[in-house]
Amino acid sequence: TITTVAGSDPMGFDEAYTFEFFCTSLKVTNEELLMGDWLKGPAGTNDIDWYTGYVGRTDVLTGCLAESWDLVDDTTVVFHLRHGVHYAVNLDSEASRLVNGREVTAEDVVFSQTRTWETPSSLINILYPPEQRLVSIKALDKYTGECKGPSQACGLVWWTTAEQCRIIPP
């Protein structure tokens, strides 16, 4: 059981169709490629307070679904997924039975990222002008994904792709 406090009920459950910050349950139910490293926050070294000012601070992030990543050049990031991460299975849920506890793959990352970046109503699609958008994303193998962004905005694309998009199955 997880108990949280929120200022309002969730206003949506899908960040492609409702602004991500209104989908307050997503951070609890769906994981991202990266997340904040709690060891660098108030419970650890206190490098960051986690309330403000972490946007662009790649030094305070750690792997979540991605166990590592490589900055190949000024346009390309390669994410290496953790092996053995599975979707939950709840036999009482038709949606859960569709996924049936299968392993998360790079194809899921590609699906989620493409969907979030290209759905007209998603916050990422609305906020990012064409010159700052994801150029391409593809699965290199079952556990490896490659994301490309324009060189002038690759850091922003990397951060958004890694830490602002929850991974869901198709």
Side-chain angles (χ1 to χ4, degrees), residues 153-170:
C154 191
L156 186 60
V157 169
W158 174 84
W159 174 75
T160 304
T161 302
E163 215 262 326
Q164 294 298 307
C165 179
R166 264 51 68 201
I167 306 305
I168 62 171

Side-chain angles (χ1 to χ4, degrees), residues 4 13 18 60 64 78 96-97 128-129 132 137 142 156 160-161:
T4 64
F13 297 95
T18 306
V60 296
C64 190
V78 174
S96 182
R97 288 192 312 266
Y128 288 78
Q132 294 181 346
I137 186 161
K142 184 176 180 178
L156 186 60
T160 304
T161 302

Side-chain angles (χ1 to χ4, degrees), residues 28-35 63-68 80-89 99-109 142-143 166-169:
V28 178
T29 61
N30 297 77
E31 291 192 345
E32 304 156 328
L33 294 173
L34 302 180
M35 65 181 188
C64 190
L65 285 176
E67 64 183 357
S68 64
H80 306 280
L81 298 182
R82 292 183 192 283
H83 296 216
V85 177
H86 292 260
Y87 290 104
V89 62
V99 182
N100 200 27
R102 74 166 174 79
E103 192 172 26
V104 177
T105 68
E107 291 294 341
D108 296 325
V109 172
K142 184 176 180 178
Y143 301 106
R166 264 51 68 201
I167 306 305
I168 62 171

Side-chain angles (χ1 to χ4, degrees), residues 36-78:
D37 185 346
W38 289 101
L39 295 175
K40 296 188 178 175
T45 61
N46 210 24
D47 291 338
I48 188 89
D49 63 15
W50 292 119
Y51 292 115
T52 58
Y54 80 96
V55 174
R57 294 269 320 263
T58 58
D59 63 311
V60 296
L61 298 177
T62 191
C64 190
L65 285 176
E67 64 183 357
S68 64
W69 55 94
D70 300 312
L71 302 172
V72 178
D73 56 39
D74 66 345
T75 65
T76 309
V77 180
V78 174

